Amino acid sequence: MKNSYLTALLLLLVFSSCQQNQKSEAIVQTDIDKPINWNNEIIYHVMQRSFYDSNGDRHGDLNGFVEKLDYLKELGVTTILFTPLYESGFYHNYFPTNYENIDQEYGTKEDYINFIKAVHKKGLKFLMDMETQYAQSGNIWFDDSYKNPESEYSDFIYYSDSLNQYPEQIFMPSQSPLYEFTAWPGDKYNIVFLDLNNENVKQWMTDFYLYWVDPNKDGNFDDGVDGFRIDHIMDDLDYKGLFTNMYQDFWKPIFDRCKTVNPNVFVLGEQSNWNEYGEKMVLESGADAAFSFPLRFAIAGEEGTHDMYIDPTSNGVKMDPNRIHEVVKESMTKFTDSTFTVNFLENHDTARWASVVNNNESQKRVAAVLNILLPGVPSIYYGQELGLTGQTSEWGSDANHIPVREAFPWTANQRTSGNALWYKDTGEWWEQSFWNSDAINTLNLEAQKQNKNSLWHHYQSLIAMRQQSDAFRLGAYQPIWPEVDNVLAFKRTYNDQEHWVIINTSENSVRVKDIDKLHQKNIIFTESAELKPESLILEAYGIIIVE
């Protein structure tokens, strides 16, 4: 009788466990079936090498990032975007030596899986940065196949001759001698094209992307990426005429296959021509989003540029409200409820916004309002919320961009554990760093948290304002007072919610008289602005937000 009882109890426990598993699977499936509206997200773009060092080698790493996930929650962002993680001779990890391995300075594959699971447990998302069009010397595909047509890897590299003597190279004419690119701190590498027309390469890349979507293939994506950023995505790769119709022939099959496994995989393409909105790339490749370069140029008052290698001309930051209105409206016609545009002020290729505006504190704060509250998915580049400075320079290597990729200053003390000063004492980029100036005393996070008027608190409050408002995340956009010089004003409406944002984009005081409707609303934010019975007074770069 006792054995019968134990058997029955065991069967009950097994049945209960199965029921729990079925519930868990049902929850996962429900999440998959429910499309994600990415306008509800806020991206935090990070060069992880510069974020937080957990083991004392001065390089930011995966375990260090796990330690700082609560910081991202406190700030209010929802999605993490890294620069690439794979092995590379370059500090920024573009142009891989091994696609499949995690850079050892970031950690192990186990560390990565622990990181991605920790991200998801915090309710955050993760986007993996990919540039899978090239390889560098040190990659076995190139090293073994160069001048060796019998190599098992000959399919992977594009050679323009039968003897494998002339690999196609980035930035170089076809059949050029091998060019050596200098990488920080002084090593030299060749950068060659993969043969993206080859069916074996296409299949390898499809499998590679699929791995990151569901590493253990169990259908539970707690260990998988939430999406990808595709670096330098082009239909005719580098305009060489060798790899054409790439959107549909190469990229779309990969993206479609990933979405077959997880329909919510998000693909953010960096259109190669920065003058374009990117809607053609999104439509033809099956990506979900593009970066809003035209808006970035409009906010900065700059002429658009083709790419990162052409310096924009600028007369300083002089915002034209009507230009911004036109760019926003054009963007909203090009991207629908299921495709998205990502708004940003700075990234790993551009000057820091604080340097663009010559450290004008008011222009930092005005731009933050636009970055967070205009239509689109906001992206914040790590340290932007602190006002970090930095501009690219010319040192003849990828060190040119170190000033815009510096260590996040958790404190002002260089010796504080965690500050990821991997480039310390290695050249002029270090000597001119903000870390070696008095500015570090106010730029560091510790100081800004203690100052309620800091830029960090400004960003935190704007993010909270957006997250609490359907109108700011999902609403329509309508310009207000476009005839008033130097006033950028717009309303965001969604169902019964309506918010107005009014900004003086100039250094001169502005008076607005047509304000009857404004008096019917509640002020939820104001800086250097005063609403009087007969007029609205906006001091230089004044801001008022009402509901």
Side-chain angles (χ1 to χ4, degrees):
M1 187 71 179
K2 184 177 181 181
N3 288 340
S4 298
Y5 172 78
L6 290 174
T7 299
L9 181 60
L10 180 60
L11 289 171
L12 179 62
L13 290 172
V14 170
F15 176 76
S16 176
S17 175
C18 290
Q19 290 290 94
Q20 289 298 319
N21 287 338
Q22 289 174 3
K23 287 181 181 179
S24 177
E25 291 171 3
I27 290 171
V28 171
Q29 188 63 40
T30 299
D31 290 341
I32 293 171
D33 288 341
K34 184 179 180 181
I36 295 172
N37 188 330
W38 278 81
N39 286 316
N40 290 317
E41 306 297 321
I42 298 178
I43 297 170
Y44 194 74
H45 186 187
V46 190
M47 183 173 167
Q48 61 277 2
R49 189 179 299 280
S50 297
F51 199 60
Y52 192 80
D53 167 29
S54 71
N55 59 11
D57 67 354
R58 299 205 302 212
H59 292 265
D61 48 54
L62 290 163
N63 291 334
F65 212 95
V66 170
E67 290 184 39
K68 291 299 181 181
L69 289 176
D70 283 338
Y71 168 71
L72 304 189
K73 296 288 289 185
E74 181 183 16
L75 181 60
V77 298
T78 65
T79 298
I80 300 160
L81 167 61
F82 276 0
T83 47
L85 285 164
Y86 39 59
E87 287 183 352
S88 171
F90 294 90
Y91 72 86
H92 44 72
N93 296 93
Y94 292 97
F95 315 121
T97 52
N98 189 312
Y99 277 102
E100 297 176 284
N101 289 351
I102 300 291
D103 186 322
Q104 294 180 7
E105 287 169 333
Y106 298 145
T108 64
K109 186 66 71 67
E110 182 180 5
D111 292 332
Y112 168 77
I113 295 298
N114 290 338
F115 157 79
I116 198 73
K117 288 185 175 181
V119 166
H120 289 150
K121 285 180 180 177
K122 291 289 186 181
L124 300 168
K125 296 180 177 65
F126 175 67
L127 304 179
M128 178 175 277
D129 196 2
M130 292 289 207
E131 185 174 56
T132 52
Q133 303 95 309
Y134 313 102
Q136 65 167 273
S137 48
N139 188 312
I140 192 171
W141 297 346
F142 174 61
D143 290 356
D144 192 72
S145 66
Y146 181 54
K147 296 184 177 180
N148 178 20
E150 302 305 314
S151 169
E152 62 181 298
Y153 303 111
S154 284
D155 283 351
F156 281 81
I157 306 300
Y158 184 89
Y159 292 97
S160 59
D161 68 304
S162 61
L163 299 178
N164 288 12
Q165 296 183 93
Y166 294 106
E168 196 67 30
Q169 300 178 77
I170 192 170
F171 304 134
M172 304 296 293
S174 295
Q175 296 204 339
S176 295
L178 281 180
Y179 182 84
E180 291 187 327
F181 292 87
T182 303
W184 173 91
D187 298 325
K188 295 182 182 296
Y189 300 97
N190 315 120
I191 304 174
V192 299
F193 281 63
L194 302 186
D195 188 351
L196 303 177
N197 294 326
N198 188 285
E199 292 302 321
N200 292 333
V201 175
K202 291 180 180 180
Q203 186 59 57
W204 193 95
M205 282 299 170
T206 300
D207 293 340
F208 176 65
Y209 277 80
L210 283 172
Y211 169 79
W212 300 107
V213 173
D214 190 9
N216 62 6
K217 298 182 179 180
D218 66 351
N220 182 352
F221 305 113
D222 64 335
D223 59 351
V225 300
D226 297 283
F228 301 100
R229 172 191 180 271
I230 309 299
D231 189 79
H232 192 62
I233 185 170
M234 299 184 69
D235 202 35
D236 176 2
L237 184 56
D238 290 342
Y239 305 110
K240 286 177 174 277
L242 299 173
F243 310 99
T244 58
N245 205 35
M246 287 277 290
Y247 291 156
Q248 294 189 348
D249 290 349
F250 183 80
W251 291 114
K252 193 172 191 307
I254 292 175
F255 300 160
D256 286 350
R257 187 72 182 88
C258 289
K259 290 173 181 289
T260 298
V261 174
N262 180 356
N264 278 330
V265 165
F266 178 73
V267 179
L268 169 58
E270 182 208 26
Q271 64 269 39
S272 63
N273 188 337
W274 289 4
N275 276 320
E276 296 177 349
Y277 286 86
E279 80 282 1
K280 180 178 185 291
M281 175 272 295
V282 168
L283 177 66
E284 295 183 6
S285 72
D288 301 287
F291 286 96
S292 188
F293 286 100
L295 180 61
R296 162 60 176 76
F297 292 135
I299 293 174
E302 296 174 343
E303 294 180 15
T305 65
H306 186 276
D307 57 36
M308 64 182 280
Y309 301 105
I310 302 173
D311 291 331
T313 58
S314 175
N315 297 317
V317 174
K318 181 171 174 54
M319 297 180 191
D320 178 350
N322 287 323
R323 179 183 173 189
I324 293 172
H325 286 317
E326 289 305 313
V327 169
V328 171
K329 289 189 292 183
E330 184 71 13
S331 182
M332 293 185 77
T333 65
K334 293 179 182 295
F335 296 89
T336 66
D337 291 339
S338 59
T339 59
F340 307 90
T341 184
V342 173
N343 301 338
F344 68 99
L345 298 176
E346 55 185 82
N347 62 29
H348 63 296
D349 290 329
T350 67
R352 289 284 192 173
W353 183 257
S355 291
V356 172
V357 300
N358 297 315
N359 253 325
N360 183 310
E361 188 66 28
S362 296
Q363 289 188 331
K364 294 183 214 174
R365 299 172 82 86
V366 164
V369 173
L370 300 179
N371 190 185
I372 304 301
L373 300 184
L374 283 174
V377 183
S379 178
I380 298 169
Y381 185 52
Y382 79 103
Q384 174 184 323
E385 71 273 28
L386 304 176
L388 298 191
T389 56
Q391 293 178 302
T392 60
S393 191
E394 185 52 60
W395 291 296
S397 75
D398 59 352
N400 295 348
H401 281 76
I402 287 178
V404 301
R405 302 168 179 174
E406 291 205 61
F408 187 95
W410 299 97
T411 70
N413 189 341
Q414 296 177 15
R415 297 184 179 86
T416 299
S417 174
N419 285 331
L421 295 163
W422 50 273
Y423 53 97
K424 184 179 180 182
D425 298 326
T426 64
E428 292 180 48
W429 40 87
W430 171 250
E431 295 168 8
Q432 67 181 37
S433 169
F434 62 76
W435 279 93
N436 294 313
S437 72
D438 291 339
I440 189 62
N441 296 317
T442 53
L443 286 177
N444 74 87
L445 178 65
E446 184 177 62
Q448 293 211 21
K449 280 192 170 184
Q450 294 171 2
N451 176 6
K452 293 299 183 183
N453 295 317
S454 71
L455 188 63
W456 186 86
H457 280 286
H458 183 58
Y459 268 94
Q460 187 190 44
S461 65
L462 289 170
I463 290 170
M465 192 183 301
R466 177 186 177 90
Q467 297 297 60
Q468 294 164 11
S469 166
D470 290 341
F472 279 133
R473 297 192 317 277
L474 308 171
Y477 178 89
Q478 181 180 340
I480 307 171
W481 304 323
E483 73 284 355
V484 180
D485 290 342
N486 298 320
V487 171
L488 174 59
F490 57 89
K491 65 174 67 173
R492 302 291 312 276
T493 56
Y494 186 83
N495 293 336
D496 59 347
Q497 282 189 355
E498 181 176 280
H499 295 309
W500 291 21
V501 178
I502 305 164
I503 300 169
N504 178 1
T505 62
S506 77
E507 60 187 8
N508 301 311
S509 177
V510 174
R511 180 188 297 269
V512 182
K513 295 182 178 180
D514 183 17
I515 61 166
D516 291 344
K517 292 183 179 179
L518 202 55
H519 279 294
Q520 302 169 18
K521 298 186 177 296
N522 298 317
I523 297 173
I524 58 175
F525 180 88
T526 182
E527 281 190 353
S528 302
E530 183 180 2
L531 182 58
K532 293 186 174 182
E534 70 287 353
S535 63
L536 169 64
I537 306 298
L538 295 166
E539 301 300 337
Y541 306 110
I543 305 165
I544 185 169
I545 303 174
V546 301
E547 63 178 1

